[in-house]
Short mmCIF file of all heavy atoms in Angstrom, two decimals:
data_model
loop_
_atom_site.label_atom_id
_atom_site.label_comp_id
_atom_site.label_asym_id
_atom_site.label_seq_id
_atom_site.Cartn_x
_atom_site.Cartn_y
_atom_site.Cartn_z
N GLY A 54 121.18 -205.63 36.58
CA GLY A 54 121.99 -206.75 37.06
C GLY A 54 123.34 -206.28 37.56
O GLY A 54 123.81 -206.68 38.63
N VAL A 55 123.97 -205.41 36.79
CA VAL A 55 125.29 -204.89 37.18
C VAL A 55 125.16 -204.10 38.49
O VAL A 55 125.97 -204.24 39.41
CB VAL A 55 125.89 -204.01 36.04
CG1 VAL A 55 127.14 -203.29 36.50
CG2 VAL A 55 126.17 -204.89 34.82
N ALA A 56 124.06 -203.32 38.61
CA ALA A 56 123.85 -202.50 39.81
C ALA A 56 123.61 -203.39 41.04
O ALA A 56 123.96 -203.03 42.15
CB ALA A 56 122.67 -201.56 39.60
N ALA A 57 123.01 -204.57 40.83
CA ALA A 57 122.59 -205.41 41.96
C ALA A 57 123.66 -206.42 42.39
O ALA A 57 123.59 -206.95 43.51
CB ALA A 57 121.31 -206.17 41.58
N GLU A 58 124.63 -206.70 41.54
CA GLU A 58 125.53 -207.85 41.75
C GLU A 58 126.21 -207.87 43.12
O GLU A 58 126.14 -208.87 43.84
CB GLU A 58 126.58 -207.87 40.63
CG GLU A 58 127.43 -209.12 40.69
CD GLU A 58 128.30 -209.28 39.44
OE1 GLU A 58 128.55 -208.26 38.74
OE2 GLU A 58 128.75 -210.41 39.18
N ALA A 59 126.86 -206.77 43.51
CA ALA A 59 127.62 -206.76 44.76
C ALA A 59 126.68 -206.89 45.96
O ALA A 59 127.00 -207.58 46.94
CB ALA A 59 128.43 -205.47 44.86
N THR A 60 125.52 -206.27 45.87
CA THR A 60 124.54 -206.33 46.97
C THR A 60 124.10 -207.77 47.20
O THR A 60 124.02 -208.24 48.34
CB THR A 60 123.30 -205.47 46.61
OG1 THR A 60 123.76 -204.20 46.18
CG2 THR A 60 122.37 -205.31 47.79
N ILE A 61 123.81 -208.49 46.11
CA ILE A 61 123.36 -209.89 46.22
C ILE A 61 124.47 -210.73 46.84
O ILE A 61 124.22 -211.54 47.73
CB ILE A 61 122.97 -210.45 44.83
CG1 ILE A 61 121.78 -209.67 44.28
CG2 ILE A 61 122.65 -211.94 44.91
CD1 ILE A 61 121.46 -209.98 42.82
N ALA A 62 125.71 -210.51 46.40
CA ALA A 62 126.83 -211.31 46.91
C ALA A 62 127.04 -211.09 48.41
O ALA A 62 127.49 -211.98 49.11
CB ALA A 62 128.11 -210.99 46.13
N ARG A 63 126.68 -209.90 48.91
CA ARG A 63 126.81 -209.62 50.35
C ARG A 63 125.64 -210.18 51.15
O ARG A 63 125.64 -210.16 52.36
CB ARG A 63 126.87 -208.10 50.60
CG ARG A 63 128.21 -207.45 50.28
CD ARG A 63 128.30 -206.05 50.94
NE ARG A 63 127.20 -205.18 50.52
CZ ARG A 63 127.24 -204.39 49.44
NH1 ARG A 63 128.31 -204.37 48.67
NH2 ARG A 63 126.20 -203.64 49.13
N GLY A 64 124.60 -210.64 50.45
CA GLY A 64 123.42 -211.17 51.14
C GLY A 64 122.48 -210.08 51.59
O GLY A 64 121.62 -210.29 52.44
N GLU A 65 122.64 -208.88 51.01
CA GLU A 65 121.73 -207.78 51.38
C GLU A 65 120.65 -207.62 50.33
O GLU A 65 120.70 -208.24 49.27
CB GLU A 65 122.55 -206.50 51.54
CG GLU A 65 123.28 -206.53 52.87
CD GLU A 65 124.47 -205.61 52.95
OE1 GLU A 65 124.56 -204.68 52.12
OE2 GLU A 65 125.31 -205.84 53.82
N LEU A 66 119.68 -206.77 50.63
CA LEU A 66 118.56 -206.61 49.70
C LEU A 66 118.87 -205.52 48.68
O LEU A 66 119.41 -204.47 49.03
CB LEU A 66 117.28 -206.23 50.47
CG LEU A 66 116.76 -207.29 51.45
CD1 LEU A 66 115.44 -206.84 52.05
CD2 LEU A 66 116.59 -208.64 50.77
#
Side-chain angles (χ1 to χ4, degrees):
V55 171
E58 187 169 21
T60 310
I61 297 170
R63 283 197 303 271
E65 283 159 18
L66 297 184

